[in-house]
Amino acid sequence: MYFGNGYSASARRRYAAVDTGSRIEGANPHQLVKVLFDELLYAIDAAILSDKTGDRAKCADKQARALSILHALESSLDFDKGGQLAVGLAQIYREARRLIVAGLQGRSAGEMHEARDMINEIAEAWTAIG
């Protein structure tokens, strides 16, 4: 049975929400941060793709999601226990936010690619220690 593109896009969003929700339930703090990294990389990838296809509204929406996740990651840092590592991560998160905003303002995916590369390196390291 064919329901059209709107239905399939809506269904994909619901399945993605269920997938994310199931990964969050019962997750320890390390796994929760991994979910944030996964969702952040997905948001940046979707913003880059939306920019490439000319869908400015979706691009802006995904960039806003990425900025929100970066803020959540920075807010979760424990500067007392993390010391210089936490400071370094905060600086990286801020630079990634700056690049994403620059990409939004300049309508350029180049900055978003830079932000993605920075975050991907941290996400891979986080996965390796987990």
Side-chain angles (χ1 to χ4, degrees), residues 114-128:
E114 282 185 63
R116 191 203 190 287
D117 291 345
M118 293 168 52
I119 296 303
N120 190 53
E121 191 173 330
I122 296 168
E124 287 176 350
W126 188 260
T127 300

PDB file of all heavy atoms in Angstrom, residues 114-128:
ATOM      1  N   GLU A 114      34.029  20.915   9.150  1.00  0.00           N
ATOM      2  CA  GLU A 114      35.085  21.079  10.161  1.00  0.00           C
ATOM      3  C   GLU A 114      34.578  20.702  11.543  1.00  0.00           C
ATOM      4  O   GLU A 114      35.252  19.989  12.293  1.00  0.00           O
ATOM      5  CB  GLU A 114      35.575  22.531  10.193  1.00  0.00           C
ATOM      6  CG  GLU A 114      36.522  22.921   9.103  1.00  0.00           C
ATOM      7  CD  GLU A 114      37.025  24.339   9.310  1.00  0.00           C
ATOM      8  OE1 GLU A 114      37.698  24.594  10.343  1.00  0.00           O
ATOM      9  OE2 GLU A 114      36.731  25.179   8.452  1.00  0.00           O
ATOM     10  N   ALA A 115      33.383  21.190  11.885  1.00  0.00           N
ATOM     11  CA  ALA A 115      32.791  20.875  13.189  1.00  0.00           C
ATOM     12  C   ALA A 115      32.575  19.371  13.322  1.00  0.00           C
ATOM     13  O   ALA A 115      32.867  18.779  14.359  1.00  0.00           O
ATOM     14  CB  ALA A 115      31.474  21.625  13.369  1.00  0.00           C
ATOM     15  N   ARG A 116      32.090  18.748  12.259  1.00  0.00           N
ATOM     16  CA  ARG A 116      31.835  17.313  12.299  1.00  0.00           C
ATOM     17  C   ARG A 116      33.120  16.534  12.526  1.00  0.00           C
ATOM     18  O   ARG A 116      33.156  15.586  13.307  1.00  0.00           O
ATOM     19  CB  ARG A 116      31.173  16.846  11.000  1.00  0.00           C
ATOM     20  CG  ARG A 116      30.661  15.417  11.141  1.00  0.00           C
ATOM     21  CD  ARG A 116      30.506  14.700   9.844  1.00  0.00           C
ATOM     22  NE  ARG A 116      29.810  13.442  10.025  1.00  0.00           N
ATOM     23  CZ  ARG A 116      30.345  12.356  10.594  1.00  0.00           C
ATOM     24  NH1 ARG A 116      31.569  12.382  11.067  1.00  0.00           N
ATOM     25  NH2 ARG A 116      29.643  11.237  10.716  1.00  0.00           N
ATOM     26  N   ASP A 117      34.178  16.933  11.838  1.00  0.00           N
ATOM     27  CA  ASP A 117      35.457  16.241  11.994  1.00  0.00           C
ATOM     28  C   ASP A 117      35.965  16.339  13.435  1.00  0.00           C
ATOM     29  O   ASP A 117      36.461  15.346  13.994  1.00  0.00           O
ATOM     30  CB  ASP A 117      36.499  16.811  11.031  1.00  0.00           C
ATOM     31  CG  ASP A 117      36.199  16.471   9.577  1.00  0.00           C
ATOM     32  OD1 ASP A 117      35.376  15.574   9.317  1.00  0.00           O
ATOM     33  OD2 ASP A 117      36.786  17.135   8.690  1.00  0.00           O
ATOM     34  N   MET A 118      35.836  17.521  14.030  1.00  0.00           N
ATOM     35  CA  MET A 118      36.273  17.709  15.423  1.00  0.00           C
ATOM     36  C   MET A 118      35.481  16.805  16.369  1.00  0.00           C
ATOM     37  O   MET A 118      36.060  16.124  17.220  1.00  0.00           O
ATOM     38  CB  MET A 118      36.071  19.172  15.851  1.00  0.00           C
ATOM     39  CG  MET A 118      36.956  20.157  15.150  1.00  0.00           C
ATOM     40  SD  MET A 118      36.449  21.877  15.433  1.00  0.00           S
ATOM     41  CE  MET A 118      36.329  21.971  17.195  1.00  0.00           C
ATOM     42  N   ILE A 119      34.172  16.823  16.218  1.00  0.00           N
ATOM     43  CA  ILE A 119      33.307  16.053  17.105  1.00  0.00           C
ATOM     44  C   ILE A 119      33.484  14.557  16.872  1.00  0.00           C
ATOM     45  O   ILE A 119      33.491  13.762  17.823  1.00  0.00           O
ATOM     46  CB  ILE A 119      31.831  16.476  16.915  1.00  0.00           C
ATOM     47  CG1 ILE A 119      31.645  17.944  17.333  1.00  0.00           C
ATOM     48  CG2 ILE A 119      30.892  15.563  17.675  1.00  0.00           C
ATOM     49  CD1 ILE A 119      32.058  18.265  18.757  1.00  0.00           C
ATOM     50  N   ASN A 120      33.648  14.157  15.626  1.00  0.00           N
ATOM     51  CA  ASN A 120      33.826  12.737  15.327  1.00  0.00           C
ATOM     52  C   ASN A 120      35.072  12.179  16.009  1.00  0.00           C
ATOM     53  O   ASN A 120      35.064  11.045  16.507  1.00  0.00           O
ATOM     54  CB  ASN A 120      33.883  12.514  13.817  1.00  0.00           C
ATOM     55  CG  ASN A 120      33.813  11.050  13.468  1.00  0.00           C
ATOM     56  OD1 ASN A 120      32.901  10.354  13.902  1.00  0.00           O
ATOM     57  ND2 ASN A 120      34.769  10.586  12.699  1.00  0.00           N
ATOM     58  N   GLU A 121      36.131  12.967  16.043  1.00  0.00           N
ATOM     59  CA  GLU A 121      37.359  12.516  16.710  1.00  0.00           C
ATOM     60  C   GLU A 121      37.116  12.260  18.200  1.00  0.00           C
ATOM     61  O   GLU A 121      37.556  11.250  18.749  1.00  0.00           O
ATOM     62  CB  GLU A 121      38.454  13.577  16.517  1.00  0.00           C
ATOM     63  CG  GLU A 121      39.817  13.114  16.934  1.00  0.00           C
ATOM     64  CD  GLU A 121      40.901  14.122  16.574  1.00  0.00           C
ATOM     65  OE1 GLU A 121      40.759  14.858  15.587  1.00  0.00           O
ATOM     66  OE2 GLU A 121      41.897  14.162  17.328  1.00  0.00           O
ATOM     67  N   ILE A 122      36.380  13.157  18.835  1.00  0.00           N
ATOM     68  CA  ILE A 122      36.064  12.977  20.257  1.00  0.00           C
ATOM     69  C   ILE A 122      35.112  11.792  20.444  1.00  0.00           C
ATOM     70  O   ILE A 122      35.297  10.980  21.357  1.00  0.00           O
ATOM     71  CB  ILE A 122      35.432  14.255  20.838  1.00  0.00           C
ATOM     72  CG1 ILE A 122      36.448  15.404  20.792  1.00  0.00           C
ATOM     73  CG2 ILE A 122      34.976  14.035  22.281  1.00  0.00           C
ATOM     74  CD1 ILE A 122      35.842  16.747  21.074  1.00  0.00           C
ATOM     75  N   ALA A 123      34.129  11.664  19.567  1.00  0.00           N
ATOM     76  CA  ALA A 123      33.167  10.551  19.671  1.00  0.00           C
ATOM     77  C   ALA A 123      33.867   9.209  19.527  1.00  0.00           C
ATOM     78  O   ALA A 123      33.559   8.260  20.256  1.00  0.00           O
ATOM     79  CB  ALA A 123      32.076  10.714  18.605  1.00  0.00           C
ATOM     80  N   GLU A 124      34.818   9.127  18.605  1.00  0.00           N
ATOM     81  CA  GLU A 124      35.553   7.860  18.437  1.00  0.00           C
ATOM     82  C   GLU A 124      36.382   7.542  19.672  1.00  0.00           C
ATOM     83  O   GLU A 124      36.444   6.380  20.092  1.00  0.00           O
ATOM     84  CB  GLU A 124      36.441   7.940  17.192  1.00  0.00           C
ATOM     85  CG  GLU A 124      35.673   7.860  15.890  1.00  0.00           C
ATOM     86  CD  GLU A 124      36.542   8.029  14.663  1.00  0.00           C
ATOM     87  OE1 GLU A 124      37.737   8.391  14.780  1.00  0.00           O
ATOM     88  OE2 GLU A 124      36.025   7.803  13.556  1.00  0.00           O
ATOM     89  N   ALA A 125      37.004   8.550  20.250  1.00  0.00           N
ATOM     90  CA  ALA A 125      37.786   8.331  21.475  1.00  0.00           C
ATOM     91  C   ALA A 125      36.853   7.899  22.617  1.00  0.00           C
ATOM     92  O   ALA A 125      37.203   7.009  23.399  1.00  0.00           O
ATOM     93  CB  ALA A 125      38.555   9.602  21.851  1.00  0.00           C
ATOM     94  N   TRP A 126      35.687   8.521  22.700  1.00  0.00           N
ATOM     95  CA  TRP A 126      34.715   8.181  23.753  1.00  0.00           C
ATOM     96  C   TRP A 126      34.267   6.724  23.599  1.00  0.00           C
ATOM     97  O   TRP A 126      34.169   5.999  24.584  1.00  0.00           O
ATOM     98  CB  TRP A 126      33.510   9.125  23.681  1.00  0.00           C
ATOM     99  CG  TRP A 126      32.579   8.964  24.836  1.00  0.00           C
ATOM    100  CD1 TRP A 126      31.409   8.276  24.859  1.00  0.00           C
ATOM    101  CD2 TRP A 126      32.771   9.479  26.162  1.00  0.00           C
ATOM    102  NE1 TRP A 126      30.844   8.331  26.109  1.00  0.00           N
ATOM    103  CE2 TRP A 126      31.662   9.075  26.921  1.00  0.00           C
ATOM    104  CE3 TRP A 126      33.765  10.245  26.763  1.00  0.00           C
ATOM    105  CZ2 TRP A 126      31.512   9.406  28.254  1.00  0.00           C
ATOM    106  CZ3 TRP A 126      33.611  10.579  28.108  1.00  0.00           C
ATOM    107  CH2 TRP A 126      32.513  10.160  28.832  1.00  0.00           C
ATOM    108  N   THR A 127      34.034   6.311  22.379  1.00  0.00           N
ATOM    109  CA  THR A 127      33.637   4.923  22.123  1.00  0.00           C
ATOM    110  C   THR A 127      34.764   3.963  22.493  1.00  0.00           C
ATOM    111  O   THR A 127      34.510   2.893  23.073  1.00  0.00           O
ATOM    112  CB  THR A 127      33.244   4.750  20.642  1.00  0.00           C
ATOM    113  OG1 THR A 127      32.143   5.615  20.359  1.00  0.00           O
ATOM    114  CG2 THR A 127      32.860   3.314  20.332  1.00  0.00           C
ATOM    115  N   ALA A 128      35.986   4.342  22.194  1.00  0.00           N
ATOM    116  CA  ALA A 128      37.143   3.472  22.476  1.00  0.00           C
ATOM    117  C   ALA A 128      37.345   3.242  23.972  1.00  0.00           C
ATOM    118  O   ALA A 128      37.781   2.161  24.360  1.00  0.00           O
ATOM    119  CB  ALA A 128      38.393   4.070  21.855  1.00  0.00           C
TER     120      ALA A 128
END
